[in-house]
């Protein structure tokens, strides 16, 4: 019996030490207060702390640091004893990163149409249509849908006659005629099999109702073969069998040559590719082709044999283009740099450096128009926006009055004590020289710096 009480006494003694130790620890960290734990974690660089579990000696918490989430243990002495990574944390920037563009992409992937978005308090508001209904949808900054309100019907978009005809032809109808077309009511008449139908369509060009109004059994005329095939996208139709059925024709579509068989009621029975319809490219249209591809300042390099070569500018890039014998662009690559459009001062400087005298320089719709003196000849010159001369026309001689004639003209108009002055740069200084009526210099004065 004494052996039993000795171990029991030892256990009670150890428990008293634990209880005493816990009481003392409360003097250093208040186990009932999360704020003190949070202050310890924040001082160590952690953020968004939460307490998950407590024991007599350890407080377990979760907190974020450098984008990672940790399980952190804090002792009752206020020390961090261990940590282990358990996941990731979203930064404020990541939380706010869900944009209007992402909202539109999300709605579009969920089959919404007519999408409009704008920033709203705490997130993004979107207005969009789905299945003919209009909805107002609110997203928070993380992209989560907070609310979705039904606003009623979406206004349907009016279908064109071409859309109605194409949809019915794809559904197997022929000889389609649109009778009525409005956003709420579409009616058409068309042949299906051997019957003629009155069709009612919805705003997605799908047949909602049809009724028989006659038949389409009248014989098909060979005169309608060309029109029938052209409606199906064929060109260069050549009828090879028209005196008996089935009718046959040769035609082109997408550069392929087809042999087409047509039944006696105008139904295409067979379409068979038998060759190619590609035509050789006309090199005279090379400039037009490049203009369609966005080039300017075009120069034809080789047009007498394929591959045809040309140069042109796209922005400030000079590129060479190679075109095959059937008009396919084989290669485009950069070979240099193109100049930018010239300003008035830049063009004037270029003209003066070439030894010409500018009388007048005007901006035009296609570039510049200049009146110049070239070796005593008065010429009218047109330039493109990049300073390249595009046209020139002679317009008489340039006549320059003598200084004496100028002074005499002024005197004849009542001027007295007239002199001529010239300003120019000399040795870094700007000077004004004065001359009498016979051309003798009478004075020189410095008026500034050059």
């Amino acid at each position: 019996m004494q052996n039993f009480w000795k171990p029991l006494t030892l256990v009670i003694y150890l428990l008293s030490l634990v209880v005493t130790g816990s009481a003392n620890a409360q003097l250093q960290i208040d186990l009932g207060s999360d704020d003190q734990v949070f202050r310890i974690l924040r001082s160590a660089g952690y953020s968004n702390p939460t307490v998950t579990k407590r024991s007599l000696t350890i407080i377990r918490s979760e907190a974020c640091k450098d984008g990672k989430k940790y399980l952190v243990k804090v002792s009752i002495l206020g020390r961090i004893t261990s940590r282990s990574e358990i996941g990731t944390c979203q930064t404020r920037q990541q939380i706010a990163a869900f944009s209007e563009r992402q909202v539109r992409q999300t709605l579009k992937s969920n089959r919404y149409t007519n999408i409009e978005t704008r920033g709203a308090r705490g997130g993004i508001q979107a207005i969009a249509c789905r299945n003919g209904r209009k909805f107002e949808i609110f997203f928070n900054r993380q992209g989560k849908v907070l609310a979705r309100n039904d606003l009623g019907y979406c206004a349907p978009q009016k279908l064109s006659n071409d859309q109605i005809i194409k949809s019915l032809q794809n559904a197997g109808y022929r000889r389609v005629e649109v009778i009525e077309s409005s956003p709420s009511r579409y009616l058409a008449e068309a042949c299906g099999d051997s019957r003629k139908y009155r069709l009612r369509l919805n705003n997605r060009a799908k047949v909602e109702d049809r009724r028989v109004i006659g038949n389409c059994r009248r014989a098909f005329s060979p005169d309608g073969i060309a029109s029938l095939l052209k409606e199906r996208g064929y060109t260069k139709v050549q009828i090879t069998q028209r005196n008996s059925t089935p009718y046959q024709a040769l035609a082109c579509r997408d550069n392929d040559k087809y042999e087409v068989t047509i039944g006696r009621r105008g139904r295409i029975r067979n379409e068979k590719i038998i060759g190619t319809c590609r035509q050789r490219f006309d090199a005279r249209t090379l400039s037009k082709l490049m203009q369609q591809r966005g080039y300017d300042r075009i120069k034809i390099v080789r047009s007498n044999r394929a591959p045809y070569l040309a140069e042109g500018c796209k922005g400030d890039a000079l590129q060479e283009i190679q075109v095959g014998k059937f008009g396919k662009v084989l290669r485009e690559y950069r070979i240099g740099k193109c100049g930018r459009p010239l300003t008035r001062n830049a063009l004037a400087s270029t003209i003066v450096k070439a030894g010409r005298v500018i009388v007048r320089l005007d901006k035009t719709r296609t570039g510049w128009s200049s009146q110049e003196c070239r070796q005593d000849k008065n010429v009218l010159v047109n330039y493109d926006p990049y300073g390249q001369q595009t046209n020139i026309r002679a317009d008489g001689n340039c006549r320059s009055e003598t200084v004496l004639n100028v002074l005499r003209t002024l005197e004849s108009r009542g001027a007295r004590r007239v002199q001529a002055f010239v300003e120019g740069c000399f040795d870094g200084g700007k000077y004004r020289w004065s001359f009498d009526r016979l051309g003798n210099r009478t004075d020189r004065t410095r008026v500034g710096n050059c």
Side-chain angles (χ1 to χ4, degrees), residues 36-193:
Q36 193 168 355
V37 177
F38 296 163
R39 284 196 296 272
I40 294 169
L41 291 173
R42 289 193 179 103
S43 66
Y46 291 92
S47 62
N48 302 330
T50 57
V51 173
T52 59
K53 188 175 181 181
R54 296 172 176 273
S55 66
L56 292 176
T57 59
I58 293 295
I59 301 171
R60 289 177 172 83
S61 64
E62 293 180 0
C64 296
K65 190 172 185 179
D66 298 329
K68 297 179 181 179
K69 193 171 187 179
Y70 293 93
L71 173 63
V72 186
K73 295 181 180 179
V74 181
S75 73
I76 60 174
L77 299 178
R79 297 174 182 171
I80 295 174
T81 59
S82 69
R83 73 171 188 176
S84 57
E85 185 179 337
I86 59 173
T88 59
C89 293
Q90 283 187 314
T91 64
R92 289 184 177 273
Q93 184 176 3
Q94 290 172 326
I95 292 173
F98 202 77
S99 65
E100 291 187 38
R101 180 176 63 83
Q102 290 173 298
V103 167
R104 290 191 291 270
Q105 290 176 341
T106 300
L107 292 175
K108 187 175 181 180
S109 65
N110 284 277
R111 295 182 286 110
Y112 284 89
T113 60
N114 303 338
I115 301 167
E116 298 178 5
T117 60
R118 69 179 183 86
R121 185 175 180 180
I124 297 171
Q125 177 197 35
I127 304 292
C129 293
R130 183 177 176 182
N131 297 331
R133 305 291 296 181
K134 180 183 287 187
F135 295 94
E136 179 185 47
I137 307 167
F138 289 94
F139 294 80
N140 65 13
R141 297 189 184 280
Q142 291 79 41
K144 182 180 179 181
V145 175
L146 301 177
R148 182 173 180 265
N149 304 319
D150 191 333
L151 302 181
Y153 288 101
C154 279
Q157 293 184 345
K158 187 177 183 300
L159 297 173
S160 68
N161 288 356
D162 289 340
Q163 289 175 305
I164 296 171
I165 293 171
K166 184 176 180 180
S167 178
L168 291 177
Q169 287 177 341
N170 291 338
Y173 293 94
R174 54 192 173 83
R175 303 184 196 175
V176 180
E177 181 182 359
V178 178
I179 304 302
E180 184 177 340
S181 176
S182 69
S184 58
R185 181 180 173 87
Y186 298 97
L187 294 178
E189 293 181 359
C191 292
D193 300 325

Side-chain angles (χ1 to χ4, degrees), residues 357-386:
V357 177
I358 300 174
V359 179
R360 184 173 181 178
L361 181 60
D362 298 315
K363 188 78 171 70
T364 66
R365 184 175 60 85
T366 58
W368 299 92
S369 176
S370 175
Q371 181 181 355
E372 305 170 10
C373 284
R374 297 187 179 185
Q375 297 179 350
D376 297 330
K377 297 295 182 181
N378 187 44
V379 293
L380 301 177
V381 188
N382 291 328
Y383 297 93
D384 68 13
Y386 308 95

Side-chain angles (χ1 to χ4, degrees), residues 14-30:
L14 291 175
L15 287 175
S16 66
L17 290 178
V18 171
V19 172
T20 304
S22 298
N24 291 335
Q26 286 182 338
L27 298 175
Q28 300 174 49
I29 178 169
D30 184 1

